[in-house]
Amino acid sequence: MERREFVASLVAGGCAGMCVDLTLFPLDTMKTRLQSQQGFSRAGGFRGIYAGVPSAAVGSFPSAAAFFVTYECAKSLLQVSPASNMTPVTHMAAASLGEIVACLIRVPSEVVKQRTQASPSSSSYRELVGTLREEGFRGLYRGYRSTVIREIPFSLVQFPLWEYLKSLWSLRQGHVLYSWQSAVCGAFAGGVAAFVTTPLDVAKTRIMLAKAGTRTASGNIPLVLCEVWKTRGLSGLFAGSVPRMTFISVGGFIFLGAYEKVRSVML
């Protein structure tokens, strides 16, 4: 990857991440409260819908930038012929590597953000200090494994589907897609991936919100999913799926559309 492409991916990815996370933050708060162990109302309901937004603002630009830089670098290193059957595999591998790197930045801000969302009377700073005092720096990475396990299947569905829809649409109209067309493909791909991976998102949220020392806090995803199934059934496993799908569909439209637009302007 050339330096110009590197900078374009860095800036475009960061800008796209900021646009989505700040624009659709209330939907993310609703999803977190629906998935929390205490339930939607006790976690705050519709009060303090922007609780945790400073944490999201701090983490969104660098994590999204890290994802797209890794994604584009991996795609260029693993490059195969566009007509090759290995193209979807290349996109899957690149997206998975991107998520592993991005989660190193995203998870600490996600932990603070979700704990603030589930305790609207608190603040991002108070939750950060409390986490460091009770669990140390390691506490900020509570749920790293569950986040990666959620994000990799999500990316395995979203990005190959996004790239496939773009290539199919481009082939039919005979020229490269406009930014809004790429955004439409991103919205559809994101919505499908969001629904499929909702149970993993529920487990990730429960692990991040759990009190230190509890069984849930240990990060055992099958155990958490079994507990949710026993107490709340299928609806519990898919709690927050509607705001999650809405967030990621609209977010996919903004995120991938903004990324393509900013990157094309810079190249």
Side-chain angles (χ1 to χ4, degrees):
M1 179 185 277
E2 295 178 3
R3 184 178 177 181
R4 190 178 177 187
E5 289 180 315
F6 177 87
V7 173
S9 296
L10 183 77
V11 175
C15 289
M18 283 282 285
C19 284
V20 174
D21 288 345
L22 298 183
T23 304
L24 303 177
F25 192 83
L27 281 173
D28 186 59
T29 301
M30 288 172 64
K31 182 215 70 166
T32 297
R33 292 174 180 176
L34 283 165
Q35 293 177 347
S36 66
Q37 203 155 3
Q38 65 261 48
F40 182 73
S41 298
R42 291 180 65 188
F46 292 101
R47 295 181 289 107
I49 211 76
Y50 280 95
V53 77
S55 177
V58 168
S60 62
F61 188 98
S63 65
F67 172 82
F68 272 111
V69 165
T70 308
Y71 179 68
E72 295 293 348
C73 283
K75 271 206 312 182
S76 63
L77 288 171
L78 302 170
Q79 196 168 27
V80 293
S81 167
S84 171
N85 291 330
M86 292 300 290
T87 300
V89 178
T90 299
H91 294 151
M92 288 178 183
S96 298
L97 285 171
E99 291 296 355
I100 290 168
V101 173
C103 282
L104 291 170
I105 302 168
R106 184 185 304 143
V107 169
S109 66
E110 185 84 356
V111 167
V112 175
K113 181 197 76 174
Q114 290 206 310
R115 291 180 180 184
T116 311
Q117 286 174 326
S119 306
S121 58
S122 186
S123 67
S124 295
Y125 177 73
R126 197 179 302 167
E127 291 296 333
L128 173 62
V129 171
T131 300
L132 289 172
R133 185 174 58 247
E134 291 176 22
E135 302 175 64
F137 186 73
R138 192 175 177 179
L140 292 176
Y141 280 91
R142 164 99 72 79
Y144 175 80
R145 186 175 59 178
S146 60
T147 304
V148 170
I149 289 171
R150 178 200 68 176
E151 294 294 356
I152 288 179
F154 178 85
S155 293
L156 290 179
V157 176
Q158 183 188 34
F159 280 88
L161 183 56
W162 177 52
E163 298 279 7
Y164 172 73
L165 292 172
K166 286 197 301 175
S167 63
L168 189 65
W169 198 346
S170 177
L171 189 66
R172 289 197 173 185
Q173 69 181 16
H175 61 79
V176 178
L177 297 188
Y178 299 114
S179 297
W180 70 267
Q181 292 173 315
S182 178
V184 170
C185 294
F188 181 80
V192 172
F195 180 76
V196 170
T197 57
T198 295
L200 292 173
D201 189 55
V202 170
K204 188 268 305 180
T205 299
R206 291 288 184 99
I207 289 166
M208 285 187 172
L209 295 180
K211 290 184 178 180
T214 61
R215 286 205 311 168
T216 303
S218 66
N220 188 322
I221 295 171
L223 177 69
V224 174
L225 291 175
C226 282
E227 285 180 356
V228 173
W229 172 261
K230 287 176 182 175
T231 56
R232 298 180 64 185
L234 189 63
S235 62
L237 292 175
F238 284 89
S241 59
V242 173
R244 175 170 160 79
M245 286 176 67
T246 305
F247 178 94
I248 292 176
S249 292
V250 178
F253 183 88
I254 299 169
F255 186 62
L256 298 173
Y259 173 74
E260 292 275 308
K261 182 66 177 177
V262 174
R263 193 168 187 270
S264 65
V265 168
M266 294 187 69
L267 289 175

